[in-house]
Amino acid sequence: MYVTFPSEIAVKASTAPLASASSKTAEARLKRGAYLYFEGDEVEWLYQVTSGVLRLTKLLADGRRQVIAFGYPGDIVGFPANDLHHTDCEALTEVRLQPFRRSHLESGDGDPALHCALLKAALREISAMQDHFMMLGRKSATEKLASFLCVLSERVGEDLGAYRQINLPMSRADIADFLGLTTETVSRTFTQLRKSKIIAIDNIHTIIIQRPTALMSLAEDGTD
Amino acid sequence: MYVTFPSEIAVKASTAPLASASSKTAEARLKRGAYLYFEGDEVEWLYQVTSGVLRLTKLLADGRRQVIAFGYPGDIVGFPANDLHHTDCEALTEVRLQPFRRSHLESGDGDPALHCALLKAALREISAMQDHFMMLGRKSATEKLASFLCVLSERVGEDLGAYRQINLPMSRADIADFLGLTTETVSRTFTQLRKSKIIAIDNIHTIIIQRPTALMSLAEDGTD
DNA sequence: CGATAGCTTGAGAGTACTCAAAGTGGGTGG
DNA sequence: CCACCCACTTTGAGTACTCTCAAGCTATCG
């Protein structure tokens, strides 16, 4: 999952399961805190998240970290480059996964429909990452966090009467490293959104969106 | 072309031509300032840059711009998502291109080798973009510009006796929008690199790298 | 119930931004 | 061929946003 703009197109498409009967492999499970793979590992499988949330990260030599993406249900993770994984991948919650042999991505032999679906997922990934560039390069802290909450609200938000509720399994540091901010700035921005009654913070991992429209405009151009 | 770290792996691989005899299409040419496609256009062709430089951009509603990538010889541009282009693409110089029908990416029928090469290019693109996230999200202005110059030096630098020379067909504003900075900051950072004798600015579009090692360490952790 | 990791808040500093003006160079027309 | 013009670049001054460092707070887990 990348943060792009509110109301992105491909949400529905990306949350549909890919598995066709013929290529079905046993579902995999991951405990919270377990790693699915590390940067540099050889890629044998790709995975579609069935339930739970993954976190993909890269590290700089001096310890600075970037969260590349969060893997939400429907997302495909593990695309290889030069046969290798290029991020670490950790489970933020208990996670269920549908594995696909890497060979299904690389050739259509055996299951052309799956091959095609994996390719489409890779192309969508490129497009989503391009949008994410805009956010990392050009948006303010408030715009970034508001965009993040908007996207989560659309993808995994739950209706709660008039409001919408989202669960954040990741830490403030994860959010910061995803948005290119510090934990302090993320925390202050949460506080600021709370004080302007745009969101309520039920507990650290549960956000209630009280004024979705205001959040949307903050996401788009920082105006309230 | 994305800015990642100095000494990336896939440089050689990405600059090799893909065309196999059977799928060869007439070379395309583009004048400086001409657009290859716009965001929202339907994708019919992908292109491998043969010579010259392309610029891929996205615009935000309020006019903020992000340069997504520069297309240098060897790069493939035009990957579709939902059948559409997701950036604008303009020629910064005269450009020669090898077009490939989109169908070659989407199915192996006809030319499996080309299909495979295009797929590999898409996967490399994902990996390179992941590295670029790190740069946009976590690097300082100096580190960004130094990284940019390092990558260009490796990919398209020319030996000049002891030094290395690179040509920058893009404007300072293009560089700024690529690195997530302002033109003023880019300009000031160039000046600062020049004053510390790490680079020399022959003319606005021609940079000579006088101390490659120093530039590398600036790119990696900002220390001189 | 205490320890500890994670979160929030505060104060101050620094980097990059904004606005403004001057400088540079390429291109065009006289 | 030269001069002017315009777009781009550089430099300057001041500001603002985000970061850093530090301390206090909260909640979760033994």
Side-chain angles (χ1 to χ4, degrees):
Chain A
M1 193 218 64
Y2 296 96
V3 171
T4 59
F5 309 94
S7 306
E8 261 302 303
I9 318 153
V11 175
K12 287 279 156 42
S14 73
T15 51
L18 303 182
S20 59
S22 63
S23 303
K24 205 111 188 177
T25 313
E27 184 185 73
R29 278 164 180 279
L30 230 52
K31 288 221 175 68
R32 182 172 171 219
Y35 277 81
L36 183 57
Y37 53 78
F38 293 92
E39 183 170 359
D41 285 357
E42 190 139 345
V43 177
E44 278 192 68
W45 301 89
L46 309 187
Y47 306 89
Q48 184 173 41
V49 179
T50 310
S51 70
V53 184
L54 297 171
R55 186 195 63 206
L56 283 66
T57 53
K58 286 181 80 83
L59 285 173
L60 224 47
D62 60 8
R64 279 178 288 181
R65 192 181 70 145
Q66 179 75 35
V67 171
I68 302 300
F70 294 108
Y72 271 87
D75 291 334
I76 311 277
V77 303
F79 290 111
N82 296 303
D83 305 342
L84 302 177
H85 285 295
H86 280 73
T87 65
D88 298 331
C89 180
E90 182 182 344
L92 293 178
T93 66
E94 183 144 334
V95 171
R96 285 187 298 158
L97 300 160
Q98 176 64 51
F100 300 103
R101 287 203 172 280
R102 177 182 147 190
S103 57
H104 284 121
L105 170 66
E106 294 180 337
S107 105
D109 307 353
D111 193 336
L114 178 57
H115 173 65
C116 182
L118 289 174
L119 175 62
K120 279 206 160 32
L123 294 174
R124 258 203 315 274
E125 178 98 351
I126 290 175
S127 172
M129 290 174 88
Q130 288 177 348
D131 289 337
H132 197 69
F133 279 159
M134 177 73 85
M135 206 219 39
L136 281 174
R138 287 280 167 249
K139 287 195 176 182
S140 70
T142 306
E143 289 173 306
K144 285 176 177 181
L145 190 63
S147 303
F148 180 64
L149 295 176
C150 280
V151 171
L152 279 180
S153 169
E154 292 193 359
R155 273 210 54 180
V156 294
E158 297 156 45
D159 273 321
L160 196 83
Y163 303 147
R164 214 133 206 288
Q165 178 172 311
I166 49 190
N167 185 259
L168 300 175
M170 68 290 288
S171 69
R172 298 293 188 258
D174 289 337
I175 297 173
D177 287 343
F178 184 53
L179 301 178
L181 301 168
T182 59
T183 52
E184 293 94 333
T185 299
V186 169
S187 184
R188 279 185 244 276
T189 308
F190 266 119
T191 303
Q192 168 195 319
L193 291 178
R194 179 172 52 74
K195 286 189 174 162
S196 48
K197 300 267 201 283
I198 292 172
I199 65 170
I201 301 177
D202 185 63
N203 67 65
I204 296 178
H205 296 292
T206 311
I207 304 297
I208 291 158
I209 299 176
Q210 297 176 302
R211 295 171 48 206
T213 326
L215 194 64
M216 285 271 255
S217 20
L218 278 180
E220 275 164 2
D221 54 16
T223 63
D224 196 345
Chain B
M1 193 218 65
Y2 297 97
V3 171
T4 58
F5 308 93
S7 306
E8 262 300 303
I9 318 155
V11 175
K12 287 279 155 42
S14 72
T15 51
L18 302 182
S20 60
S22 64
S23 303
K24 204 111 189 180
T25 313
E27 184 185 74
R29 277 164 182 280
L30 229 52
K31 288 219 176 68
R32 181 169 173 223
Y35 277 81
L36 183 57
Y37 52 78
F38 293 92
E39 184 169 359
D41 285 356
E42 191 140 343
V43 177
E44 277 193 69
W45 302 88
L46 310 187
Y47 305 90
Q48 183 172 42
V49 179
T50 309
S51 70
V53 184
L54 296 172
R55 186 195 62 205
L56 284 67
T57 53
K58 284 181 81 82
L59 284 173
L60 224 48
D62 60 9
R64 280 179 288 183
R65 192 182 70 147
Q66 179 74 35
V67 171
I68 303 299
F70 294 108
Y72 272 87
D75 290 335
I76 311 276
V77 303
F79 290 111
N82 296 304
D83 305 341
L84 302 178
H85 284 296
H86 280 73
T87 66
D88 298 330
C89 180
E90 181 182 346
L92 294 179
T93 65
E94 183 143 335
V95 171
R96 284 186 300 156
L97 300 160
Q98 175 63 52
F100 300 103
R101 288 202 172 282
R102 177 181 147 191
S103 57
H104 284 122
L105 170 67
E106 294 180 338
S107 106
D109 307 353
D111 193 337
L114 177 57
H115 173 65
C116 183
L118 288 173
L119 175 63
K120 279 206 160 34
L123 293 173
R124 257 203 316 275
E125 178 99 349
I126 289 174
S127 171
M129 290 174 88
Q130 288 177 348
D131 289 338
H132 197 70
F133 280 160
M134 178 72 85
M135 205 217 41
L136 281 174
R138 285 285 168 246
K139 288 194 173 182
S140 69
T142 306
E143 289 173 306
K144 285 176 177 180
L145 190 62
S147 303
F148 180 64
L149 295 176
C150 279
V151 172
L152 279 181
S153 168
E154 291 192 1
R155 273 209 55 181
V156 294
E158 297 156 44
D159 273 322
L160 197 83
Y163 302 147
R164 218 139 202 289
Q165 178 173 310
I166 49 189
N167 185 257
L168 301 176
M170 68 289 288
S171 69
R172 297 293 188 260
D174 289 338
I175 297 173
D177 286 344
F178 184 54
L179 301 178
L181 301 169
T182 58
T183 52
E184 293 94 331
T185 299
V186 169
S187 183
R188 279 186 244 276
T189 308
F190 266 118
T191 302
Q192 169 195 318
L193 291 177
R194 180 171 53 73
K195 286 192 174 160
S196 49
K197 300 267 201 277
I198 292 173
I199 64 170
I201 301 177
D202 186 62
N203 67 67
I204 296 178
H205 296 292
T206 311
I207 304 296
I208 292 157
I209 299 176
Q210 297 175 303
R211 295 171 47 206
T213 326
L215 194 65
M216 286 270 257
S217 15
L218 278 181
E220 276 164 1
D221 55 15
T223 62
D224 197 344

